[in-house]
Amino acid sequence: MANPETGSPAAADVGLPLLRIRGLGARFGTVEAIKPLDLDVNDGEFLTILGPSGSGKTTLLRTIAGFQPPSAGRIEFDGKDIADLPINRRPFNTVFQDYALFPHMTVRENVGFGLRVRGTAKAQLNDRVDAALGIVGLEEFDARYPSQLSGGQQQRTALARAMICEPRLILLDEPLAALDAALRRQMQNFLKTLQRQSGITFLFVTHDQSEAITMSDRICVMRSGSIEQIGTPRELYYRPKSRFVAAFFGASNIVEPCRIHETRDDATIVETPVGQFRISGPPPDSSSGLALAIRPEALGPEDETRVNTLELEVVAVSFVGSETITELRHRRTSQVFTMKTRSDPAARPPDIGSILNIGFDPAECALVTEAAN
Amino acid sequence: MRRLRLLDFSLASVTAFVYLSLYLPILLVFVLSFFSMRRGRVNWETFSLGWYAKLFKNEALGDALLNSLLVGIAAVLVAMVFATLAAINANSRPSSRSAQFLEYVIFLPFLLPPIITGLSLLIYFREAGIPRGLPTIIVGHAVFVLAIIYRILLTRLNALSRSLVDAAHDLGASNLQTFRYIILPNLRMPLLTSGILAFALSFDETMITLFLTGTDATLPVRLYAMIRVGFTPEINALIALILGFSIILTVALAYAWGRNSGSGGNLIAKTSK
Ligand SMILES: Nc1ncnc2c1ncn2[C@@H]1O[C@H](COP(=O)(O)OP(=O)(O)OP(=O)(O)O)[C@@H](O)[C@H]1O
Ligand SMILES: [Mg+2]
């Protein structure tokens, strides 16, 4: 089982996590959508749940929110078990993927709904709605109906509506999925800034790894109902534990099988079909299906930092603007590598069929196993 | 070009024929409610509202009309309550036993020959010792129109995103508040349209009513009984009135439907507790 404490920068100085999940499982009939898992969400952090379609992200979020009864386990919020709390009493709010704005209510009525059902006095309600609309920049749109708003405006309305009751935690299920690329980037920045300034804890779901990297304090990678790895974006990017995480974060060159040849203080020497390499750090605990994962951008001409070397034949070169992607092949084993380098206007691209001396940094590759847990 | 003209012409004449055969008799009745006939021709000099005056003095017909209105409104209201509950149940738990069972049962009175429905109800009321009268007719009609209201409400509910209800709960609304602020506003239009439709069905329902009538007849039943003794000319005035009423209902229905298909609308704007 994944260690929830791993790589949490905040874990050390915050005693109790805001949300503490232990052995939580969920099933649909015979389908185990979430296998019993542990997860801690710290107060004030931006935690992203990342995983491919069908990995159980939505189900996990819905179980936390209370829409989906858990089949096992406990959920604690602020130290209190909330398993038996009905949805409308849970002390946090959700931003839905389809926004779920009430079509028959104006933006103002939508945003104020949470206060209205709590019986907040009219004057106070209006003030707080004004404040929330101000935060998301929708002051001028308060009399419109959701059908009269753009995608981004609907998104902001949903956000304001979820924030109006000042929850300490907001759950967001792929809130940006429906937006086009430019608007999406804009909203990513907006969300991140909002989260930092408000101090509200965000539990955010996405299947887009670049979105997860740019926005999160920590990322929790899910795979078929289990947590594969939790860590900071840098940890997952540079130190993936499994092939799955490595592939998800773009370390697409996988060399296998790997055998540990020697373990030193600061490095591990591995034996692979394409040569012997030095890898920074200790070997993983398990060695089942051990493989070496190398990022395409870690490969480059051999030099004093790229001390692990290979002789590779050029198969194809494609120029994609700022970067050049070179397909390489190891002659004896036919193992294929992809190399991504910065395009150099002065350099002539290598000839197809030529042999290059390629190297990579021991710190820019990772030993990965079949599964992280 | 020539062929097209011919086609246009034949289409036009068929249309004309259909419309004439449908509406000419109705038009005739309408005319006859104001004028009298002499030797097979309308006498245009005799305009009067006399038949209408006579109609309102005809207690048998007037009472029957009132009964029909009363039965229709009461049956629709009763059916609305049950249909709303059933539709919400079916919508929130579509695969539950109760919803599936209801799905079949609710349509039975609608699909069965009315004579069977009427007869079963009659036998039931007799065994249960309930005397026949307006209440029994209301029950019969409510059972009969339940299906149509249920179906229209359920269609609307199913078209609503499930996450609206989730969102309401998430924001702290109780079940009752969710019903009042989220579900009901979205059901207003379908309730109105299905109500009008159901009222129209109830208004001309004859067969079931025949079995359930005590001394208070509804209009169709009264008219049916009058066939034997023959009609007096005020019947024309009655038909003209019902016709006018139907036209108003139809227009209202079309208008409501037209609005309903448009965007949300401000149905419960500014509801305050
Ligand atoms: N209502 C349901 N009934 C049965 N199985 C379900 C239901 N909802 C989800 N599942 C199954 O549970 C698993 C996890 O689904 P979930 O929706 O949580 O995935 P996800 O990670 O959110 O995927 P996506 O990125 O596509 O939204 C899937 O195998 C899915 O088929
Ligand atoms: Mg999902």
Side-chain angles (χ1 to χ4, degrees):
Chain A
M1 205 158 285
N3 175 7
E5 240 63 61
T6 306
S8 161
D13 42 84
V14 181
L16 199 66
L18 184 63
L19 191 69
R20 201 172 128 102
I21 292 169
R22 287 293 173 273
L24 189 70
R27 45 170 64 245
F28 298 103
T30 56
V31 182
E32 203 169 21
I34 300 183
K35 306 189 180 101
L37 56 79
D38 295 354
L39 176 68
D40 282 356
V41 183
N42 298 314
D43 202 356
E45 81 171 328
F46 194 122
L47 178 65
T48 297
I49 298 173
L50 175 68
S53 188
S55 56
K57 307 181 297 291
T58 297
T59 309
L60 177 57
L61 216 61
R62 287 179 60 84
T63 311
I64 295 172
F67 301 127
Q68 167 76 31
S71 57
R74 283 203 329 274
I75 307 173
E76 285 169 20
F77 184 83
D78 214 11
K80 285 183 280 292
D81 194 326
I82 57 164
D84 294 328
L85 270 191
I87 305 165
N88 58 344
R89 300 259 195 75
R90 299 206 174 192
F92 37 80
N93 293 112
T94 306
V95 174
F96 293 81
Q97 178 164 356
D98 64 353
Y99 312 142
L101 297 176
F102 306 127
H104 57 287
M105 294 187 196
T106 60
V107 168
R108 172 169 290 278
E109 290 163 336
N110 263 284
V111 172
F113 188 79
L115 294 176
R116 181 164 137 206
V117 296
R118 279 174 181 73
T120 309
K122 196 119 197 161
Q124 196 197 346
L125 185 147
N126 276 328
D127 287 349
R128 281 174 68 179
V129 170
D130 285 336
L133 288 176
I135 290 174
V136 298
L138 285 177
E139 300 97 324
E140 328 240 292
F141 298 90
D142 71 326
R144 295 220 193 159
Y145 286 91
S147 58
Q148 301 166 325
L149 296 177
S150 73
Q153 291 163 346
Q154 292 181 20
Q155 167 67 67
R156 284 158 191 265
T157 309
L159 207 57
R161 188 179 68 176
M163 285 174 50
I164 195 82
C165 292
E166 295 171 355
R168 291 173 65 191
L169 170 68
I170 294 187
L171 313 174
L172 304 100
D173 188 3
E174 307 212 25
L176 308 180
L179 307 180
D180 64 54
L183 190 58
R184 203 176 162 140
R185 210 152 311 121
Q186 195 189 325
M187 280 304 293
Q188 286 174 3
N189 290 333
F190 176 74
L191 270 181
K192 183 64 201 156
T193 313
L194 183 68
Q195 190 269 334
R196 211 174 285 143
Q197 286 173 353
S198 64
I200 300 176
T201 308
F202 273 33
L203 187 54
F204 181 91
V205 164
T206 183
H207 60 250
D208 180 339
Q209 56 96 9
S210 72
E211 187 166 288
I213 288 180
T214 53
M215 301 180 75
S216 321
D217 294 324
R218 285 197 304 154
I219 299 173
C220 161
V221 180
M222 283 195 74
R223 175 194 191 184
S224 36
S226 309
I227 293 178
E228 188 84 353
Q229 189 175 349
I230 304 182
T232 63
R234 291 184 73 84
E235 278 170 342
L236 291 175
Y237 193 81
Y238 290 118
R239 287 273 162 271
K241 283 188 180 162
S242 69
R243 287 177 201 214
F244 178 79
V245 176
F248 216 91
F249 285 87
S252 51
N253 296 311
I254 301 284
V255 180
E256 60 180 338
C258 264
R259 203 172 53 76
I260 294 173
H261 182 70
E262 199 187 329
T263 312
R264 297 189 193 154
D265 287 348
D266 58 341
T268 310
I269 310 293
V270 292
E271 192 75 50
T272 77
V274 296
Q276 206 180 59
F277 302 117
R278 182 192 159 91
I279 322 287
S280 302
D285 306 332
S286 135
S287 63
S288 76
L290 199 64
L292 177 62
I294 313 165
R295 316 192 60 79
E297 53 272 33
L299 292 175
E302 180 185 345
D303 60 20
E304 59 274 16
T305 56
R306 299 199 184 102
V307 295
N308 290 316
T309 59
L310 288 152
E311 279 191 354
L312 298 173
E313 178 189 350
V314 177
V315 179
V317 181
S318 47
F319 171 70
V320 290
S322 65
E323 287 169 334
T324 300
I325 293 172
T326 314
E327 293 290 331
L328 302 157
R329 195 169 65 97
H330 186 258
R331 274 239 168 114
R332 188 165 44 80
T333 59
S334 293
Q335 162 102 38
V336 175
F337 290 87
T338 307
M339 174 170 79
K340 216 187 257 180
T341 47
R342 273 185 67 101
S343 299
D344 179 358
R348 210 174 60 84
D351 294 323
I352 306 294
S354 61
I355 304 284
L356 300 179
N357 283 324
I358 299 295
F360 60 94
D361 188 336
E364 284 200 67
C365 57
L367 277 176
V368 295
T369 54
E370 198 60 61
N373 33 18
Chain B
M1 201 61 203
R2 235 195 153 72
R3 283 257 299 278
L4 211 67
R5 283 249 177 85
L6 194 67
L7 213 66
D8 279 349
F9 177 73
S10 38
L11 192 65
S13 40
V14 169
T15 312
F17 173 73
V18 169
Y19 272 89
L20 282 179
S21 53
L22 268 178
Y23 289 116
L24 203 60
I26 293 176
L27 195 68
L28 187 68
V29 166
F30 196 69
V31 168
L32 289 181
S33 72
F34 297 108
F35 302 93
S36 55
M37 291 257 277
R38 215 173 45 203
R39 273 182 258 127
R41 305 189 66 183
V42 178
N43 185 354
W44 295 108
E45 265 106 69
T46 59
F47 175 84
S48 82
L49 292 174
W51 294 128
Y52 289 88
K54 264 217 155 120
L55 173 66
F56 288 111
K57 284 197 211 100
N58 184 331
E59 271 175 26
L61 277 180
D63 285 354
L65 182 61
L66 275 182
N67 284 342
S68 271
L69 293 175
L70 184 73
V71 166
I73 290 168
V76 165
L77 289 181
V78 169
M80 269 181 181
V81 172
F82 287 106
T84 306
L85 295 177
I88 288 175
N89 175 57
N91 170 257
S92 53
R93 293 179 296 174
S95 49
S96 76
R97 283 277 169 95
S98 67
Q100 278 168 353
F101 178 69
L102 211 68
E103 187 78 5
Y104 293 113
V105 168
I106 211 163
F107 274 97
L108 265 185
F110 202 71
L111 298 177
L112 279 179
I115 199 163
I116 301 294
T117 309
L119 205 55
S120 340
L121 280 168
L122 172 66
I123 292 167
Y124 170 77
F125 286 133
R126 207 185 53 201
E127 293 304 314
I130 300 167
R132 283 180 289 163
L134 285 186
T136 55
I137 303 179
I138 290 170
V139 170
H141 283 203
V143 166
F144 174 68
V145 299
L146 190 61
I148 194 90
I149 301 179
Y150 166 81
R151 177 48 60 190
I152 291 177
L153 294 187
L154 186 59
T155 306
R156 176 71 188 129
L157 280 179
N158 287 343
L160 276 183
S161 168
R162 161 82 210 162
S163 56
L164 291 188
V165 172
D166 284 349
H169 283 144
D170 186 75
L171 290 162
S174 63
N175 282 330
L176 203 64
Q177 285 172 322
T178 305
F179 177 74
R180 178 169 163 207
Y181 296 133
I182 308 299
I183 296 178
L184 202 54
N186 280 294
L187 285 186
R188 279 191 193 184
M189 273 302 154
L191 274 174
L192 183 68
T193 53
S194 64
I196 292 174
L197 213 61
F199 180 82
L201 283 175
S202 156
F203 195 77
D204 75 4
E205 208 304 315
T206 315
M207 196 51 89
I208 298 177
T209 319
L210 267 179
F211 285 96
L212 303 177
T213 307
T215 47
D216 300 312
T218 60
L219 194 61
V221 171
R222 171 74 66 218
L223 292 177
Y224 188 70
M226 281 170 70
I227 293 178
R228 268 172 298 154
V229 290
F231 292 108
T232 45
E234 64 249 44
I235 206 77
N236 291 325
L238 177 70
I239 293 173
L241 275 181
I242 292 175
L243 214 63
F245 184 61
S246 307
I247 289 171
I248 292 171
L249 274 191
T250 314
V251 170
L253 202 63
Y255 178 72
W257 253 323
R259 284 213 1 181
N260 201 23
S261 59
S263 67
N266 50 347
L267 297 176
I268 65 151
K270 310 268 164 13
T271 325
S272 58
K273 282 192 287 185

